[in-house]
Every structure is written in structure tokens, then in C-alpha cells.
């Protein structure tokens, strides 16, 4: 059965345990964005024994490069849909382990390495509707901070968003090792082979 | 008579870019809405609902539909007597800079070797501009902002002629299956058969400009478009991979005459947020949109173009 949850950060272990693939979630609290370069920079920083500019324990990580505009010294987020998560597959498992994020949000799903890390660290992966940048921006109530803006530029910087009812998010990888997209894509591949014979 | 100049053109292109980035073409909107109304699978319906919400928020607030505001592609039909010629690309670049500054476009032009973002959506060969010189004194413009995520699956197949159509059909199914949810389905698929790889990819990309539901004028090609569209929708990949009836919004096929020994197949995918507009500009600087969009003003939705 598919359930709908409304959660608040910091996410607790029991919140995560409830979530199963295909569940719908809306999240309020703090989201931190990171895409390719911010992941690399975060792991480099931690590798040198330094700490990150923000403690991400219990927070949600968002694969996103926003369109942002500064109006009277305040950042306004104009569009902020998810980016393709698979690009972070090589580094996400380590990132989850070292930062303590409890939810990774992006689009398209992720691979085996991440699935194992989510299981090991009791965390989940959720999909936000790809392309829905204006809807995402509407749910971002404020920019709390932005780090590494100078070094990485607007899309790649580490943005800290305060969000309200951010969603719909659909869980596609849960803390029990289930990977919704993997199962689905195996089915679709089989169906594709059958369809090719009919055309 | 007043003659159009570079500055006026910049203003017109800026308006076109704004429209392209913030309002979805009417044909795309109507197809998505129809699918939402008839979709029965809850997860797929939820995705279509979020998509329609996004489109409405973007047009009400005048903000980009998607944060990936794409790579700018411009297709021109330039009348030989139109007053501005060489200056057109300068005008487009000016418009792109302004639209980026104003937050209608995210800076998306990156130097691959120096790894530096130009910051204003202009750069080497960007915008990508295709010209056809025609008789007359008007300029017709098609503008497309092509998302990066949906560009990843684009495929070139260099087939031998005897295997050509088999490989085309297999290639379309394989491409959509292989990339699954990544290019943000429901998709529009552009396909072209041509003499060379470059021609095939270019025509496939350009075929995305044709509105949804508008079939190729050639009956045989139109039949193949429908056959492939129906086949893709039997995959049950659905909106963002959550199943249901709608994997592809449409399939478009174009071609060039080919070399007797070649059969190049270009396959280009475009996301649900296919953003395009077109306009006609007259020599006196008057102009109008020739594409239809949904547009919201003071909370009410109507159609422009």
C-alpha cells in the first residue's frame, strides 16, 4: 500500500524506517543542494580533516542547480527542479556515510553503491518531479545560506534552503535495499524486446 | 518606412526568449492535460499533476518552467531583402545576455576545455544558429531552449541501407528503454534518416519544432510516426518512469535524400518541458508570435500567439 507522509527535518531514524518505495512524501525544514562539484569539494574538505560549512546530519540533500537572482541583497530562488542523480553515483555512498544526510532527493534514481549505503546508514532516496522548477521554487521559503558560490558558481554552489511542504517526493530507494526503478526498468526492458518484434 | 535595426531585433528576441522559457507551447500543455485527465495509475497521475502545477506557477509568476533553461537553438528563415543580416546573431546574443541577467535563463554555456561558464549563455557556436536564405523581406524565427538532461539519450546510428528501417525502429525503442526516467518523460522523439550523421542529427533536432499531432505530409512517413508513437506508449514507462499510458507525447520523422551506401539515423529526445516559440518579423520592425502558448495574466489563463 502506498502511504503519504509529511515530515520535518532533522529526519529521525523512525521517520526513515516507515518509508517504503512508492510512498509519497512532503518535507519541511532544511534542504541542502549539491551537485557534481559540490560533492567533490565536500569530500575533499572532509578528506583533509576539515569540517563542512554546515552540519548535514538528519537533513535532506537535494541534487539541484537553481536559477537564483539577488534582489536587494536577498537571494530569490526562481526555479529549482532536480538534476540527474546518476551523475553523483560514484561519490554518493561516501557522501551519505560521512555527512549523515537522511534523504537524498533528485531525479532518475541511483545505482547499487548508493542503495547499499542507504541501507547501511538508514537513509532513503526520493524523486522530485523532473523539470518542475517553478513548483519547487514555490515551496522554497527562504535561502538560509549559500556556500562556495565564489568557487563553484550559482548552479554548483551549496545552497541551504528553508522549505515548506516540499514535494511531491516519491521514494524510489528505501532503507531496506529496495530499488523501485531497477525493478521497473527490468520489466520495461523485457517489454521493449517484445514490442520490437511487433513493429 | 522605418527600418528594423539590431537594437529592435534584440528587444524582439528577448521577448521570444522570455516566452519560450516561461510559457509552455499550447500543444504540449493540452497533450499533458489530456493525459492527466485520463490517467488511472496514481503515481503517474501525481507526476502529471505536479507538471501541470509547475506550468501554471511558471506562467503566473513569469518564471522559468524548468531550472534547466537549456541550450539556445535558433532556426532562421531569412528573407534576402530583410534589412539586418550579419547583425542578427549579435542581436540574439544581446537578448540572451539580458534574459540571463533578468533570471529567465540559467547560465548554461560552459567552455569544455577551460571548464569555465561564460555566465551569459553565449559562447563558441552558442547560440547554435541555423539559416535558410529565402526570397522576400521578412525574417521567420524559431527559438528552442533544449534541456541538457533530455539531450543525453540522443543517438546516432550509422546503418547500412538494407538494415536501415529495422535499426531505426529498434533504435527508437532501445533509446527510450535504456535511458528510462532520465530524460524526463513523457518525451517528444525527433528522428531523421539522412546521407550523413551530421545531417541526420540536425534534421532530427529540427523536427521537434513541429507541433504535437501534426503529422508528416508524406503518408508513409506519417504512418511510421504513429506506429512508433503507439509502440513507445505500450512500454508503460510513463511520466518520470512511474508507469501509465503516456511515455511519448509524439514522434516526428524527417529525412534528406541519402547516399546509395549510407543510411544515417538521428534520434533526438526532448522532455515533457519542450520549450519552443516562433515569430515573424517584418522589415519595419513589427512582429508577432506565430506559436501558441498558455499565458497567465492577473491569475487568468489565456492563449497568446
Amino acid at each position: 500500500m502506498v502511504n503519504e507522509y509529511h515530515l520535518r527535518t532533522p529526519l529521525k531514524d523512525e521517520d526513515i524506517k516507515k518509508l517504503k518505495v512508492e510512498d509519497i512524501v512532503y518535507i519541511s525544514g532544511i534542504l541542502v543542494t549539491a551537485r557534481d562539484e559540490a560533492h567533490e569539494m565536500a569530500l575533499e574538505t572532509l578528506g583533509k580533516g576539515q569540517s563542512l560549512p554546515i552540519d548535514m546530519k538528519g537533513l535532506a540533500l537535494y541534487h539541484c542547480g537553481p536559477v537564483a537572482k539577488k534582489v536587494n541583497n536577498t537571494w530569490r530562488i526562481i526555479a529549482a527542479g532536480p538534476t540527474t542523480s546518476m551523475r553523483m553515483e560514484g561519490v554518493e555512498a561516501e557522501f551519505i556515510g560521512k555527512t549523515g544526510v537522511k534523504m537524498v532527493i533528485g531525479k532518475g534514481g541511483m545505482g547499487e553503491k548508493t542503495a547499499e549505503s542507504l541501507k547501511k546508514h538508514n537513509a532513503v532516496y526520493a524523486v522530485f518531479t523532473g523539470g518542475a522548477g517553478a513548483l519547487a521554487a514555490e515551496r522554497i521559503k527562504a535561502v538560509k545560506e549559500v556556500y562556495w558560490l565564489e568557487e563553484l558558481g550559482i548552479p554548483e554552489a551549496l545552497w541551504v534552503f528553508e522549505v515548506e511542504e516540499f514535494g511531491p517526493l516519491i521514494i524510489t530507494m528505501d532503507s531496506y535495499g529496495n530499488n523501485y526503478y531497477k525493478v521497473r526498468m527490468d520489466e520495461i526492458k523485457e517489454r521493449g524486446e517484445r514490442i520490437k518484434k511487433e513493429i | 518606412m522605418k527600418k528594423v535595426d539590431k537594437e529592435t531585433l534584440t528587444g524582439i528576441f528577448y521577448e521570444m526568449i522570455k516566452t519560450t522559457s516561461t510559457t509552455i507551447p499550447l500543444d504540449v500543455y493540452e497533450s499533458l492535460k489530456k493525459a492527466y485527465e485520463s490517467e488511472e495509475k496514481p503515481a503517474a497521475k501525481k507526476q502529471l499533476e505536479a507538471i501541470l502545477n509547475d506550468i501554471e506557477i511558471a506562467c503566473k509568476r513569469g518564471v522559468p518552467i524548468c531550472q534547466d533553461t537549456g541550450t539556445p537553438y535558433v532556426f532562421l528563415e531569412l528573407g534576402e531583402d530583410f534589412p539586418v543580416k550579419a547583425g542578427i546573431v549579435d542581436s540574439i546574443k544581446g537578448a540572451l545576455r539580458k534574459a540571463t541577467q533578468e533570471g529567465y535563463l540559467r547560465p548554461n554555456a560552459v567552455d569544455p576545455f577551460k571548464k569555465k561558464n561564460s555566465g551569459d549563455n553565449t559562447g563558441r557556436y552558442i547560440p547554435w544558429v541555423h539559416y535558410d536564405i529565402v526570397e522576400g523581406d521578412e525574417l521567420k524565427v524559431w527559438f528552442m531552449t533544449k534541456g541538457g538532461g533530455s539531450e543525453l539519450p540522443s543517438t546516432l546510428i550509422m546503418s547500412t541501407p538494407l538494415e536501415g528501417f529495422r535499426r531505426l525502429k529498434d533504435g527508437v525503442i532501445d533509446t527510450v528503454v535504456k535511458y528510462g526516467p532520465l530524460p524526463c518523460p513523457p518525451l517528444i522523439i525527433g528522428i531523421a534518416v539522412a546521407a550523413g550523421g551530421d545531417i541526420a542529427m540536425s534534421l532530427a533536432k529540427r523536427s521537434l519544432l513541429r507541433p504535437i499531432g501534426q503529422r508528416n505530409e508524406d503518408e508513409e512517413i506519417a504512418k511510421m510516426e504513429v506506429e512508433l508513437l503507439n509502440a513507445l506508449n505500450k512500454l508503460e514507462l510513463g511520466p518520470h518512469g512511474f508507469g501509465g499510458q503516456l511515455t511519448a507525447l509524439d514522434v516526428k520523422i524527417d529525412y534528406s535524400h541519402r547516399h546509395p551506401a549510407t543510411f544515417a539515423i538521428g534520434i533526438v529526445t526532448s522532455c515533457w518541458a519542450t520549450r519552443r516559440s516562433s515569430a515573424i518579423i517584418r522589415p519595419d520592425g513589427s512582429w508577432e508570435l506565430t506559436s501558441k502558448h498558455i499565458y497567465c495574466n492577473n491569475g487568468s489563463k489565456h492563449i497568446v500567439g
Side-chain angles (χ1 to χ4, degrees):
Chain A
M1 201 185 83
V2 175
N3 290 305
E4 184 172 315
Y5 297 100
H6 298 257
L7 302 176
R8 183 165 286 280
T9 63
L11 297 165
K12 297 186 236 26
D13 277 331
E14 55 267 35
D15 291 335
I16 299 299
K17 284 269 170 252
K18 286 191 291 206
L19 303 174
K20 305 269 169 57
V21 291
E22 290 191 79
D23 281 345
I24 299 163
V25 178
Y26 292 82
I27 194 164
S28 301
I30 303 294
L31 283 193
V32 183
T33 74
R35 37 190 284 163
D36 314 53
E37 291 183 34
H39 273 79
E40 197 176 28
M41 188 145 256
L43 292 177
E44 256 175 46
T45 306
L46 292 167
K48 284 186 216 150
Q50 295 162 358
S51 55
L52 297 180
I54 173 168
D55 181 1
M56 296 191 206
K57 218 166 276 149
L59 302 185
L61 169 71
Y62 186 27
H63 295 152
C64 168
V67 178
K69 192 178 164 189
K70 210 168 194 175
V71 185
N72 300 329
N73 253 350
T74 308
W75 281 105
R76 230 187 96 211
I77 300 301
I78 295 168
T83 192
T84 302
S85 297
M86 208 50 201
R87 291 201 316 273
M88 273 60 82
E89 176 62 17
V91 290
E92 203 65 273
E94 187 184 350
F95 191 95
I96 294 163
K98 288 189 171 162
T99 59
V101 294
K102 283 283 163 200
M103 183 183 282
V104 180
I105 302 166
K107 77 169 171 105
M110 298 192 75
E112 281 311 296
K113 251 180 88 180
T114 303
E116 273 170 40
S117 183
L118 292 170
K119 194 175 172 184
K120 186 173 166 197
H121 300 286
N122 190 41
V124 293
Y125 173 89
V127 163
F128 183 85
T129 307
L135 175 65
E138 200 210 25
R139 306 290 164 94
I140 297 169
K141 296 304 163 192
V143 173
K144 302 282 280 182
E145 284 292 346
V146 53
Y147 302 105
W148 302 339
L149 182 61
E150 195 68 25
E151 298 93 320
L152 304 181
I154 287 177
E156 297 282 346
L158 198 76
W159 293 86
V160 182
F161 295 149
E162 189 184 318
V163 299
E164 201 61 49
E165 289 290 306
F166 188 84
L169 303 169
I170 300 187
I171 304 293
T172 69
M173 295 161 85
D174 60 26
S175 60
Y176 303 95
N178 297 309
N179 191 341
Y180 171 81
Y181 274 139
K182 191 173 178 302
V183 176
R184 284 232 52 200
M185 288 319 295
D186 288 346
E187 287 167 18
I188 287 163
K189 205 171 162 188
E190 261 185 55
R191 209 172 287 139
E193 292 305 317
R194 277 207 308 277
I195 289 167
K196 282 195 306 198
K197 293 196 182 95
E198 292 165 11
I199 56 173
Chain B
M1 186 183 79
K2 196 186 132 218
K3 265 193 186 175
V4 69
D5 56 14
K6 272 168 67 173
E7 209 185 330
T8 311
L9 277 183
T10 301
I12 295 169
F13 293 140
Y14 172 74
E15 289 302 323
M16 277 187 84
I17 294 167
K18 242 169 81 169
T19 299
T20 314
S21 186
T22 60
T23 78
I24 204 105
L26 188 65
D27 56 304
V28 178
Y29 178 76
E30 283 182 339
S31 301
L32 291 165
K33 195 156 174 123
K34 209 175 109 199
Y36 169 73
E37 281 158 7
S38 63
E39 183 58 69
E40 283 169 5
K41 200 167 179 294
K45 205 175 175 78
K46 196 87 191 165
Q47 293 303 308
L48 289 166
E49 182 192 297
I51 286 170
L52 292 171
N53 274 342
D54 179 71
I55 292 169
E56 300 223 348
I57 292 166
C59 84
K60 272 179 198 147
R61 301 172 92 183
V63 298
I65 292 158
C66 176
Q67 77 293 333
D68 178 6
T69 57
T71 290
Y73 283 79
V74 189
F75 303 87
L76 301 173
E77 244 178 63
L78 173 60
E80 59 185 344
D81 297 322
F82 190 73
V84 185
K85 293 181 189 75
I88 292 175
V89 174
D90 271 355
S91 300
I92 299 169
K93 284 189 172 180
L96 286 165
R97 287 191 189 101
K98 192 174 165 201
T100 310
Q101 238 168 38
E102 299 292 325
Y104 293 111
L105 297 174
R106 185 180 73 183
N108 274 351
V110 180
D111 180 324
F113 290 95
K114 297 188 178 70
K115 296 183 181 174
K116 182 132 180 77
N117 193 320
S118 73
D120 64 4
N121 280 301
T122 73
R124 185 171 160 86
Y125 293 121
I126 296 294
W128 182 256
V129 185
H130 177 94
Y131 303 84
D132 288 312
I133 313 248
V134 297
E135 282 181 6
D137 61 1
E138 293 169 339
L139 174 66
K140 289 184 183 162
V141 188
W142 286 261
F143 195 89
M144 175 158 59
T145 53
K146 178 63 177 64
S150 72
E151 194 60 21
L152 274 178
S154 293
T155 303
L156 173 66
I157 300 170
M158 298 302 288
S159 177
T160 54
L162 289 182
E163 292 183 306
F165 284 111
R166 185 68 257 155
R167 292 195 65 187
L168 185 155
K169 290 177 177 179
D170 288 353
V172 170
I173 302 290
D174 289 343
T175 300
V176 173
V177 167
K178 181 177 173 195
Y179 289 90
L182 295 183
C184 288
L187 306 170
I188 301 177
I189 313 285
I191 303 164
V193 177
D198 51 343
I199 307 173
M201 293 311 288
S202 184
L203 292 177
K205 179 67 63 59
R206 191 152 67 152
S207 75
L208 299 172
L209 295 174
R210 206 178 346 133
I212 289 171
Q214 195 186 99
R215 297 267 66 87
N216 193 300
E217 286 168 9
D218 181 299
E219 212 176 300
E220 202 176 326
I221 300 172
K223 223 174 109 187
M224 195 179 288
E225 288 177 343
V226 174
E227 184 187 26
L228 287 170
L229 176 62
N230 291 339
L232 287 171
N233 284 332
K234 277 193 214 156
L235 279 175
E236 292 175 52
L237 173 65
H240 293 289
F242 289 103
Q245 51 176 331
L246 190 71
T247 296
L249 292 161
D250 210 351
V251 173
K252 305 294 185 192
I253 306 179
D254 200 354
Y255 71 100
S256 81
H257 278 65
R258 62 173 177 84
H259 183 279
T262 64
F263 196 108
I265 305 158
I267 302 171
V268 174
T269 52
S270 188
C271 55
W272 68 259
T274 293
R275 283 148 291 170
R276 46 173 153 71
S277 66
S278 59
I280 182 166
I281 307 171
R282 297 180 198 90
D284 64 356
S286 66
W287 71 287
E288 67 207 36
L289 276 179
T290 49
S291 50
K292 285 188 164 59
H293 302 261
I294 72 149
Y295 189 79
C296 302
N297 205 2
N298 302 325
S300 76
K301 195 164 68 208
H302 60 275
I303 298 159
V304 293

